């Protein structure tokens, strides 16, 4: 007497076929750890330039947070954790700015923007007179930076692409947190 078919009949790929395909998936463009820069000796590689720009962008975003916190102290408690995370992003990209996480932003943070900041608008000029618009301005800066980082993923090597993707996702989460009470 033959046994009836198993009620757990599998459909889809088997584990063996997935294991056979996995090494090929690791060789996809953008997932390798190779250098995307030019020949050695030509200055910093494309990856080094992308990393430096990402650090400057994060530092510029920290300056925006500092300006908003200085101009709108009632938002400080809400913004401080997001600002601290942006500081960690700058450090992850190799940024030189290492302000203390508990330090208050300096009063001069809203006085003059950094010339190296790549975020679209200057921190001091962008702080509106009300909380909702100040949060919207930060959310727009976070969104623009997250979008730019997501678009750069295919131009950088694997490890940096993973870091950029992670920071872009965090930026998208910041946008949500900055706008969630405004619906």
């Amino acid at each position: 007497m033959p046994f009836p078919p198993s009620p757990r009949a599998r459909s889809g790929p088997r584990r063996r076929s997935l294991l056979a395909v996995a090494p090929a998936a690791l060789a996809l463009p953008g997932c390798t750890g190779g250098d995307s820069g030019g020949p050695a000796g030509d200055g910093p590689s494309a990856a080094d330039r992308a990393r430096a720009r990402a650090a400057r962008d994060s530092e510029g975003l920290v300056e925006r947070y500092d300006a908003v916190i200085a101009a709108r102290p009632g938002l400080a408690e809400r913004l401080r954790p997001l600002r601290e995370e942006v500081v960690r992003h700058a450090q992850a990209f190799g940024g030189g700015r290492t302000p203390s996480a508990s330090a208050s932003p300096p009063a001069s943070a809203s006085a003059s923007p950094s010339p190296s900041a790549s975020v679209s608008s200057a921190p001091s000029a962008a702080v509106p007179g009300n909380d909702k618009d100040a949060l919207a301005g930060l959310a727009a800066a976070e969104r623009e930076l997250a979008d730019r980082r997501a678009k750069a993923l295919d131009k950088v090597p694997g490890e940096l692409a993973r870091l950029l993707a992670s920071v872009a996702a965090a930026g998208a989460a910041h946008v949500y947190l900055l706008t969630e009470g405004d619906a």
Side-chain angles (χ1 to χ4, degrees):
M1 177 165 150
F3 290 108
S6 170
R8 293 180 31 190
R10 294 182 184 168
S11 63
R14 303 284 189 262
R15 186 179 343 181
R16 286 185 198 150
S17 60
L18 290 175
L19 291 174
V21 175
L26 293 176
L28 291 173
C31 293
T32 63
D35 183 21
S36 65
D42 288 349
S45 70
D48 291 340
R49 290 188 306 271
R51 184 179 294 274
R53 178 177 181 181
R56 284 190 312 272
D57 288 345
S58 290
E59 290 168 350
L61 193 54
V62 169
E63 290 176 4
R64 282 196 66 136
Y65 273 96
D66 288 346
V68 171
I69 290 170
R72 310 294 307 156
L75 294 174
E77 186 176 329
R78 180 176 180 181
L79 297 180
R80 194 163 285 122
L82 301 177
R83 178 198 176 275
E84 291 170 4
E85 191 168 331
V86 175
V87 168
R88 287 190 295 273
H89 295 162
Q91 291 169 347
F93 287 120
R97 182 178 178 148
T98 55
S100 132
S102 62
S104 298
S108 64
S110 62
S112 63
S114 167
S116 67
S118 299
V119 178
S120 60
S121 54
S124 62
V127 181
N130 66 56
D131 290 356
K132 183 177 181 178
D133 290 344
L135 292 173
L138 278 174
E142 286 270 16
R143 184 179 297 111
E144 185 269 328
L145 189 53
D147 290 347
R148 191 168 2 123
R149 285 175 171 162
K151 288 176 185 172
L153 292 177
D154 63 344
K155 298 173 185 78
V156 296
E159 198 58 39
L160 181 55
R162 285 185 283 278
L163 180 58
L164 275 174
S166 176
V167 173
H174 289 184
V175 171
Y176 172 77
L177 292 170
L178 289 166
T179 60
E180 80 175 1
D182 299 338

